[in-house]
Amino acid sequence: MYRILTLNNISIKGLERLPRDEYEIASEFSSPDAILLRSHKLSNDDIASSVKAIGRAGAGTNNIPVGECTQRGIAVFNSPGANANAVKELVISALTLGSRGILPGIAYVDTLADMTDGAAMSKLLEKEKKRFKGRELAGKTLGIVGLGAIGSMIARAALDLGMDVIGYDPALSVDAAWRLPSSVQRMDNIGSLFARADYITLHLPVLDATRGLVNESLLKNCKPDACLLNFAREEIVDTDAVVQALDEGILRQFITDFPSPALIGRDDVILMPHIGASTDEAEENCAVMAADQLRDFLRNGNIRNSVNFPNLQLERSGEVRLAITNRNVPKILNSILGILADAEINIVDMLNKSREDIAYNLIDLGSDVSDELITQIQSLEGVINVRVIA
């Protein structure tokens, strides 16, 4: 029986992926096998020594101490793309809000609550509507920074709206490139994208390379009347630099899902309360993906969508499977195989992959192994943990 600690309200559709005859799920455990969470801020001290994996029902993992987990041999999973459609729809809504006088128009109509004469109201609205005239998105250029699951979906939607789309992503994966419409023009550098785009939308994770990426220097590249959207992560944008760009007329508008005191009350800013993934469907999709990944890892040792371990999947073919995590240094795998050979244990199948400082091994054996042999493997210098999966 595996014990799953939940630290947020997880969609029931996700929890249903963990059969109750194999998994015990609760919000309090002293020795859980895995943690399933959404936005809960997790510290290293919160993670019991029994934890083998952490599943995040969402894309970002900045609320999880990933580096410390890696050192402890704990696989951290996220749910990339599961909330992509929800974010895409909100970004398209934001583009419309940033191009038309929708919000001020609604606010103006709300001021007419005391009017009782319908004809007079119609006449007044006909006179005043010119105050809320906007512009159409068709024919404008959208610059997308980050062309992953969300960015590629926004690109398709923007093309359907008649926009020209340019994109920048120095770390574009092969899978993401296949998803990207061929009519999206790839830019060689982010400064060129900012210089050409009428609207700029950000879809990047928080990394050392992206923290504060949108700063005073970059914003100076903007073409006059540009609109910047941030529905990715707050830390990517230097808020003070954005305020300065708005004050100086470098930016026409800033639309973001991450309010801050410096932005509230400005007519040239539209703020939303971090609702990019706040749909029933997105929460269900993220929970299902996270639960499925934890289940496959705990039952089979397979890894999909880990942010700190290599992706590795191997069909079961032996009586017993060893899942071994070790430092990515020479000769450890040879030592492990030597111990198994000395014990005359047949290896049916195996797979080994590494990611930066971590190596991960799945080894299917033709017979069971003793506790003494597992202890022998565990005692090898560089081995972080050994798990026997029956």
Side-chain angles (χ1 to χ4, degrees), residues 230-270:
N230 181 21
F231 287 81
R233 286 290 181 265
E234 181 178 10
E235 296 88 344
I236 295 171
V237 174
D238 182 338
T239 300
D240 292 339
V242 167
V243 170
Q244 181 178 338
L246 291 168
D247 289 341
E248 295 178 358
I250 296 173
L251 279 179
R252 171 176 61 85
Q253 196 163 44
F254 180 49
I255 308 175
T256 183
D257 210 17
F258 309 101
S260 68
L263 299 171
I264 291 176
R266 296 186 64 110
D267 293 336
D268 50 9
V269 174
I270 297 175

Side-chain angles (χ1 to χ4, degrees), residues 285-304:
N285 292 341
C286 288
V288 167
M289 182 180 287
D292 283 350
Q293 290 165 177
L294 283 182
R295 181 180 179 182
D296 197 16
F297 177 75
L298 292 173
R299 290 179 61 179
N300 301 306
N302 291 328
I303 295 180
R304 292 175 295 149

Side-chain angles (χ1 to χ4, degrees), residues 23 52 76 87-88 157 185 228 264 277:
Y23 299 88
K52 304 168 183 65
V76 179
V87 178
K88 177 206 76 175
Q185 182 181 352
L228 175 66
I264 291 176

Side-chain angles (χ1 to χ4, degrees), residues 38-39 57 82-90 231 257 272-284 286:
R38 291 169 58 199
S39 58
N83 61 8
N85 188 70
V87 178
K88 177 206 76 175
E89 291 185 359
L90 189 61
F231 287 81
D257 210 17
M272 302 178 193
H274 200 186
I275 57 174
S278 294
T279 67
D280 292 337
E281 295 85 353
E283 291 181 4
E284 290 171 359
C286 288

Side-chain angles (χ1 to χ4, degrees), residues 291-332:
D292 283 350
Q293 290 165 177
L294 283 182
R295 181 180 179 182
D296 197 16
F297 177 75
L298 292 173
R299 290 179 61 179
N300 301 306
N302 291 328
I303 295 180
R304 292 175 295 149
N305 295 321
S306 172
V307 300
N308 63 337
F309 273 53
N311 286 329
L312 191 156
Q313 298 178 63
L314 182 67
E315 290 292 327
R316 297 287 292 267
S317 57
E319 288 189 21
V320 171
R321 168 168 286 188
L322 298 183
I324 303 173
T325 305
N326 59 269
R327 310 291 178 200
N328 187 20
V329 296
K331 299 183 179 180
I332 291 183

Side-chain angles (χ1 to χ4, degrees), residues 10-18 36 284 287-288 291-292:
I10 305 297
S11 168
I12 188 65
K13 288 195 174 182
L15 298 180
E16 286 174 348
R17 310 290 285 198
L18 302 169
L36 185 56
E284 290 171 359
V288 167
D292 283 350

